[in-house]
Amino acid sequence: MPITTTNPATGETLRTFHALTAGELDGRLQRAADAFQRHRRTPLPERAEKMRRAGDILEGDRERLARLMTTEMGKTLASARAEAEKCAWVCRHYAEHAAAMLAPRPVDVGGTARGEVHFLPLGVVLAVMPWNFPFWQVFRFAAPGLMAGNVGLLKHASNVPQCALAIEEVFRRAGFDEGVFQALLVGSDAVAGMLDDPRVAAATLTGSTAAGQSVAERAGRNLKKTVLELGGSDPFIVMPSADLNAAAKTAARARCINNGQSCIAAKRFIVHRDAADAFERRFVAAMEALTVGDPLADGTDVGPLATAAIRDEVDEQVRASVAAGARLLTGGRRMDGPGFFYPPTVLADIPRDAPAYREEVFGPVASVFRVASIDEAIALANDSQFGLGSSVWTRDEDERRRFVAEIEAGMTYVNAMVASDPRLPFGGVKQSGYGRELGVFGMHEFVNIKSVWMEETAPADLPDAE
Ligand code: NAP
């Protein structure tokens, strides 16, 4: 099946690529396996130099790469530029810190022996990635992965083939050997076969819960390690002591970032009743003040959704929620004209069986809930299949401690919106997936943690073997 790229702001098909044939895919897998044997032996400083160069290329080529992202998946040009820069940051971060993260750790085992823990590469890692941060999702896996000595195979989302090829080119221009990082233009039907292939050692997937289940199942059958970064319906909790102006402004940004298509976008706004009227007024005003339009234009805050299917699904979720009894405070009607635009929308009084209560809404649609206490706020935050991020707004130290300890999520940000950062681990619990990316934890997901016991000479009394 051909892979096409469509500009979501206009609906125009930009390019069509042919998907790899089975024979071509086999050749790419072999190239990756061969490249691993060379790459694993490359000295770390050499890998770091190339990774730094990748960062320089991303920065130097920022405008071209940003336009590619914007025309291919609709994010605003300003956010696409920021994404290219963040990718440069993650490359430099791991170039600088990989040596310390991968350095053998001595362990005191007593006697004359020396104990050590080593961190060795696993091999070829398959990355199945989504379109929403078409560069960042890939670099946050590839930068630590390649520094650890693994090689990467990217199966990118089918609607961003140009971004996939551009990323491969960045690594090639940075000096990484052919085969160390390859973008494979294949559909999702090719993933199962790759997971079965003995040349693939492990897999990481960022995407929907359904895709994660299917990859985890297949990888599990093959006993291959996986990391899954899946959907989210993050709570954004506002307590009476919060700075309501800052909370409402950040709330609109946190919901509409990336045109509302972020796994860690705040989606459920849980507000204490003593602050609810004031917060709601400010929040609705902030959502209405956002400019929706051409993502290439200066001053646009919200561009189109990435595909017609996503726009239609968001529209359907809002309609069904309203039909179930939710109250529309603003937005809620798909926009006319070419392109897949949907306006910033706020829903309130959402019943438990409405889609906006239970499902992830992957567009600029906020759900507002009122609660009477911190206990209710935490219970509502946790009444979700997801557990990715969470943002809590309060000046009260006891409340902060309770939120951090009791919210079931991989991340809790206090008086700030959730954001990924190369220095901190990123990931979720429950149906949001497992494993971590970024930080030292992300680096250690795809390594063989090898125990080493060294004696200078064989001891006279051999210990019992287990
Ligand atoms: P998606 O449909 O799951 O697609 C993600 C990737 O998985 C694509 O490359 C897709 O390929 C592939 N895929 C889909 N079904 C598959 C299957 N059965 N087996 C193997 N691969 C499969 O997700 P999306 O709509 O692109 O992205 C939105 C979702 O990603 C949201 O739920 C969002 O919250 C989540 N997300 C999570 C994070 C995180 O870090 N936790 C970050 C970003 C996004 P095709 O394109 O060829 O179908």
Side-chain angles (χ1 to χ4, degrees):
M1 207 173 70
I3 291 174
T4 54
T5 169
T6 300
N7 182 344
T10 61
E12 177 199 358
T13 297
L14 300 175
R15 284 187 72 180
T16 300
F17 298 84
H18 88 85
L20 295 179
T21 63
E24 286 169 333
L25 181 55
D26 184 68
R28 299 297 200 90
L29 286 169
Q30 192 52 45
R31 193 186 290 173
D34 294 343
F36 174 60
Q37 294 310 328
R38 296 188 299 274
H39 184 61
R40 69 190 304 181
R41 297 186 178 90
T42 324
L44 208 49
E46 199 180 303
R47 287 181 215 156
E49 194 187 312
K50 291 173 186 169
M51 196 54 77
R52 271 193 205 97
R53 216 175 295 146
D56 293 345
I57 292 167
L58 285 159
E59 251 175 25
D61 247 5
R62 190 187 72 158
E63 283 309 302
R64 183 179 71 84
L65 300 175
R67 287 188 88 81
L68 199 58
M69 288 185 233
T70 297
T71 50
E72 198 157 50
M73 55 64 67
K75 68 171 59 218
T76 63
L77 197 54
S79 61
R81 288 182 184 123
E83 183 165 338
E85 280 167 11
K86 194 163 173 179
C87 292
W89 180 22
V90 82
C91 289
R92 289 180 185 134
H93 177 79
Y94 281 104
E96 188 181 342
H97 297 290
M101 292 173 177
L102 297 168
R105 293 191 187 167
V107 176
D108 184 357
V109 289
T112 56
R114 232 170 57 220
E116 282 179 358
V117 180
H118 288 235
F119 304 97
L120 303 172
L122 283 186
V124 178
V125 181
L126 171 65
V128 183
M129 291 289 139
W131 46 266
N132 62 340
F133 291 92
F135 270 60
W136 171 242
Q137 307 287 6
V138 177
F139 275 89
R140 76 182 188 187
F141 132 77
L146 267 49
M147 285 306 302
N150 295 314
V151 306
L153 282 178
L154 168 66
K155 182 270 174 269
H156 217 327
S158 297
N159 56 326
V160 288
Q162 298 191 91
C163 287
L165 295 173
I167 294 168
E168 182 184 79
E169 191 196 322
V170 168
F171 284 118
R172 201 178 35 72
R173 282 173 60 201
F176 286 101
D177 270 7
E178 192 192 20
V180 169
F181 183 93
Q182 300 179 75
L184 309 172
L185 297 189
V186 289
S188 58
D189 54 345
V191 170
M194 286 195 272
L195 292 169
D196 289 346
D197 194 298
R199 290 169 292 189
V200 171
T204 177
L205 176 137
T206 300
S208 60
T209 299
Q213 283 164 332
S214 131
V215 163
E217 204 175 319
R218 195 69 173 220
R221 196 188 301 171
N222 286 287
L223 298 180
K224 289 181 183 171
K225 170 82 185 271
T226 49
V227 165
L228 301 179
E229 300 284 2
L230 309 178
S233 189
D234 286 7
F236 184 107
I237 302 177
V238 183
M239 296 301 282
S241 66
D243 174 342
L244 292 187
N245 284 328
K249 256 172 92 174
T250 310
R253 193 170 129 64
R255 178 53 284 212
C256 293
I257 191 163
N258 211 37
N259 310 339
Q261 304 159 122
S262 167
C263 53
I264 47 166
K267 292 172 185 140
R268 296 177 298 136
F269 297 82
I270 299 171
V271 190
H272 192 283
R273 65 180 175 201
D274 294 347
D277 288 340
F279 173 81
E280 212 170 87
R281 250 193 335 272
R282 288 170 170 83
F283 180 43
V284 169
M287 291 286 273
E288 288 176 343
L290 296 171
T291 304
V292 183
D294 179 2
L296 287 169
D298 284 343
T300 297
D301 300 303
V302 182
L305 299 185
T307 65
I310 294 163
R311 191 262 322 266
D312 293 347
E313 190 182 346
V314 168
D315 191 38
E316 185 47 40
Q317 287 170 307
V318 171
R319 281 167 187 272
S321 298
V322 171
R327 196 160 47 91
L328 201 52
L329 300 185
T330 188
R333 285 169 62 108
R334 54 194 282 171
M335 297 164 80
D336 294 334
F340 315 134
F341 293 91
Y342 199 85
T345 294
V346 182
L347 293 166
D349 304 336
I350 300 145
R352 269 189 110 231
D353 57 349
Y357 189 104
R358 303 233 70 87
E359 298 171 7
E360 176 182 34
V361 182
F362 219 53
V365 178
S367 301
V368 180
F369 301 87
R370 291 179 181 223
V371 290
S373 65
I374 185 168
D375 292 321
E376 257 187 53
I378 292 170
L380 184 52
N382 290 342
D383 186 21
S384 168
Q385 58 176 315
F386 299 110
L388 192 55
S390 52
S391 172
V392 299
W393 291 73
T394 171
R395 291 185 170 111
D396 183 297
E397 196 51 46
D398 287 341
E399 287 178 356
R400 286 178 188 181
R401 263 196 290 273
R402 281 201 61 193
F403 285 132
V404 169
E406 296 179 38
I407 291 183
E408 296 162 2
M411 297 162 277
T412 295
Y413 280 56
V414 180
N415 295 326
M417 64 184 268
V418 182
S420 56
D421 183 311
R423 297 162 295 188
L424 282 168
F426 183 99
V429 296
K430 296 158 84 173
Q431 299 290 295
S432 293
Y434 53 73
R436 291 293 178 267
E437 292 191 292
L438 301 176
V440 66
F441 300 92
M443 172 72 107
H444 285 173
E445 289 285 1
F446 290 113
V447 292
N448 169 13
I449 301 174
K450 179 182 271 189
S451 292
V452 177
W453 181 289
M454 280 182 278
E455 297 277 4
E456 285 312 317
T457 54
D461 292 329
L462 290 177
D464 290 342
E466 190 184 51

